[in-house]
Amino acid sequence: MTTSKDIIEWTEEQKQEMRDKLLAWYDKEKRLLPWRENKDPYRIWVSEIMLQQTQVVTVIPYFHRFMEWFPTIKDLAEADEDKLLKAWEGLGYYSRVRNMQSAAQTMVEKFDGQMPNNVKDLLSLKGIGPYTAGAIASIAFDLPEPAVDGNVMRVYSRLFCIEDDIADPKSRKIFEQKVRETISHERPGDFNQALMDLGATICTPTSPKIEIDPLRDLYEAHKQNRLEEFPVKKKKVKTVHLYYLGLSIQNKKGEYLLEKRLAEGLLANMWTFPLVEVDKKHYQEMEKEWLGYQEDQKETTLFDFVAEDSGLMKGAFLEALETSQSDVVWLKQPLGDVKHVFSHRKWHILLGNGFLKEETELMLKENQSWVDPKDFPNLAFPKPQQKMISLIEELRNK
DNA sequence: AACACGGGGTG
DNA sequence: CACCCAGTGTT
């Protein structure tokens, strides 16, 4: 293990050479991005939160819409949560936008509705950690603060052969130290953004374009022919598999039964079709029956089919509707399956389609509603639920 | 220190 | 399909 003592030290001349080469490259190649049009701290903040774990091309349309919907910190502080989630729909890590609203409210209460202009106050805000505080401080306020993200760790680990595990939070300080030693005091914001652009486009994780890299002669890892050994990163944890039956249930008006998810945890407060968890064994049995059914494409309804066998899907429908009236739903057909990989788990969903026969005495749960599909665009659905909607629309178009 | 938290890309 | 990309908050 390399410790900070073992890491190569550059002379002042080498540091100056690195700054000059990096900034010259940035002046020529910098990407023209909407949040680079000016130094408005609010726009910088929004872009930096969106860019966490998310690529630039994905962020651009979200950024424009967000600034339209919430033009000021005050607008964000007062926004309706459903609209907030809709603004973030599909971006992932939805706590980011909830934390932003909390921070906006703090700014209205404590900072005169402005972004604070120093690292200490920035760090006191929800959702702003060491990286984002450094990014805002340097880009919006010209402070020579490090903003160490994955790109920066990749570039510096290759420059200095830093062998510390970048997944370990302890390592961040080593990289921050090296950035402090090298950062341009004249143009700290450009310096940090140049590092991130370089990591994103040239000094990439695989197949780095070393021949066109403005820092190509400075990488110690390259001198040692070990460029792609860096950065050092330990293995990620294995994903957990979860199995569900997904339920598309329509009433006579053509509305669908939807549920709002719990206020905490995965995909909090977002909308979903009812999901009933089943164990792997039952899921696989069901999947097998399902495929047999789809191959047949006979007159038989899934209701008949399931009723004769496990009754699992029917039971799930009854559970979702909180009723024991066994003839309340007529299961028309299977819609297909949806698979979705999260960072730490994988969902397997078999989606069934049912029609409600009687609805008068039916009690919905607190978090359930009948929703006209015309209103789907107004609700925030996570990706797996968007995939389910696609299956439903396929069926409607047949 | 370990885990929770989405979604996208490449080969 | 396997594999890569990773900041912040909570416990």
Side-chain angles (χ1 to χ4, degrees), chain A residues 84-231:
Chain A
L84 218 55
L85 284 174
K86 191 67 191 175
W88 218 261
E89 178 190 54
L91 267 185
Y93 287 122
Y94 299 91
S95 63
R96 286 185 292 175
V97 74
R98 270 187 278 268
N99 288 337
M100 276 186 86
Q101 182 171 48
S102 165
Q105 290 163 351
T106 304
M107 285 182 245
V108 169
E109 289 163 19
K110 292 191 180 167
F111 298 108
D112 198 30
Q114 307 289 311
M115 290 293 301
N117 63 0
N118 63 84
V119 168
K120 180 171 164 292
D121 287 338
L122 286 168
L123 283 173
S124 74
L125 298 168
K126 272 258 188 190
I128 297 187
Y131 163 74
T132 309
I136 296 171
S138 61
I139 299 169
F141 302 117
D142 295 310
L143 298 171
E145 293 289 337
V148 175
D149 72 346
N151 292 311
V152 175
M153 287 194 280
R154 186 164 56 252
V155 171
Y156 275 75
S157 68
R158 289 171 177 174
L159 283 173
F160 298 102
C161 288
I162 299 171
E163 311 215 13
D164 300 69
D165 177 9
I166 64 163
D168 188 337
K170 289 198 304 289
S171 308
R172 201 193 72 240
K173 290 198 181 307
I174 296 165
F175 290 96
E176 283 180 351
Q177 168 68 18
K178 284 321 235 185
V179 174
R180 280 189 196 283
E181 288 175 14
T182 42
I183 193 169
S184 163
H185 285 242
E186 286 72 40
R187 301 172 59 191
D190 285 347
F191 181 89
N192 282 336
Q193 292 185 89
L195 280 179
M196 293 184 254
D197 273 20
L198 188 72
T201 62
I202 307 282
C203 191
T204 45
T206 57
S207 321
K209 303 171 183 64
I210 186 66
E211 66 288 345
I212 60 166
D213 193 315
L215 306 182
R216 62 186 167 276
D217 301 327
L218 298 173
Y219 293 103
E220 181 61 25
H222 184 45
K223 289 174 194 164
Q224 298 182 13
N225 231 335
R226 298 167 62 205
L227 202 57
E228 291 196 58
E229 287 179 32
F230 297 93

Side-chain angles (χ1 to χ4, degrees), chain A residues 126-378:
Chain A
K126 272 258 188 190
I128 297 187
Y131 163 74
T132 309
I136 296 171
S138 61
I139 299 169
F141 302 117
D142 295 310
L143 298 171
E145 293 289 337
V148 175
D149 72 346
N151 292 311
V152 175
M153 287 194 280
R154 186 164 56 252
V155 171
Y156 275 75
S157 68
R158 289 171 177 174
L159 283 173
F160 298 102
C161 288
I162 299 171
E163 311 215 13
D164 300 69
D165 177 9
I166 64 163
D168 188 337
K170 289 198 304 289
S171 308
R172 201 193 72 240
K173 290 198 181 307
I174 296 165
F175 290 96
E176 283 180 351
Q177 168 68 18
K178 284 321 235 185
V179 174
R180 280 189 196 283
E181 288 175 14
T182 42
I183 193 169
S184 163
H185 285 242
E186 286 72 40
R187 301 172 59 191
D190 285 347
F191 181 89
N192 282 336
Q193 292 185 89
L195 280 179
M196 293 184 254
D197 273 20
L198 188 72
T201 62
I202 307 282
C203 191
T204 45
T206 57
S207 321
K209 303 171 183 64
I210 186 66
E211 66 288 345
I212 60 166
D213 193 315
L215 306 182
R216 62 186 167 276
D217 301 327
L218 298 173
Y219 293 103
E220 181 61 25
H222 184 45
K223 289 174 194 164
Q224 298 182 13
N225 231 335
R226 298 167 62 205
L227 202 57
E228 291 196 58
E229 287 179 32
F230 297 93
V232 175
K233 197 182 175 192
K234 75 171 178 222
K235 300 262 183 276
K236 62 161 187 168
V237 288
K238 235 174 65 178
T239 58
V240 176
H241 293 255
L242 295 170
Y243 302 87
Y244 297 96
L245 301 181
L247 308 173
S248 154
I249 308 176
Q250 280 175 272
N251 64 19
K252 286 180 177 154
K253 287 185 259 178
E255 298 166 331
Y256 288 86
L257 183 67
L258 294 183
E259 293 180 2
K260 199 164 190 182
R261 292 176 59 87
L262 299 175
E264 287 181 358
L266 185 66
L267 307 171
N269 280 346
M270 300 186 79
W271 288 92
T272 182
F273 296 90
L275 294 175
V276 176
E277 190 175 355
V278 294
D279 60 39
K280 184 179 181 179
K281 181 168 161 286
H282 283 111
Y283 180 92
Q284 287 174 333
E285 284 172 9
M286 188 79 197
E287 190 176 37
K288 221 164 151 189
E289 296 171 356
W290 199 278
L291 292 173
Y293 171 82
Q294 289 182 319
E295 280 164 17
D296 285 353
Q297 288 297 325
K298 289 188 301 192
E299 298 293 308
T300 339
T301 65
L302 183 67
F303 176 83
D304 301 328
F305 183 77
V306 172
E308 287 165 14
D309 291 285
S310 68
L312 199 63
M313 182 59 95
K314 184 178 164 192
F317 273 80
L318 298 179
E319 186 181 327
L321 289 162
E322 264 197 337
T323 178
S324 57
Q325 295 170 257
S326 61
D327 61 345
V328 70
V329 175
W330 178 45
L331 300 184
K332 181 75 172 169
Q333 66 259 95
L335 282 173
D337 66 312
V338 166
K339 302 202 185 306
H340 190 78
V341 181
F342 299 98
S343 50
H344 55 313
R345 59 190 68 177
K346 180 168 178 176
W347 279 7
H348 306 253
I349 304 165
L350 289 174
L351 184 61
N353 189 39
F355 293 89
L356 197 62
K357 293 170 79 178
E358 308 293 337
E359 58 189 281
T360 42
E361 66 266 57
L362 205 62
M363 290 277 291
L364 293 188
K365 297 182 196 170
E366 192 85 29
N367 62 333
Q368 293 179 325
S369 326
W370 292 107
V371 179
D372 190 302
K374 285 203 239 0
D375 293 324
F376 285 180
N378 301 321

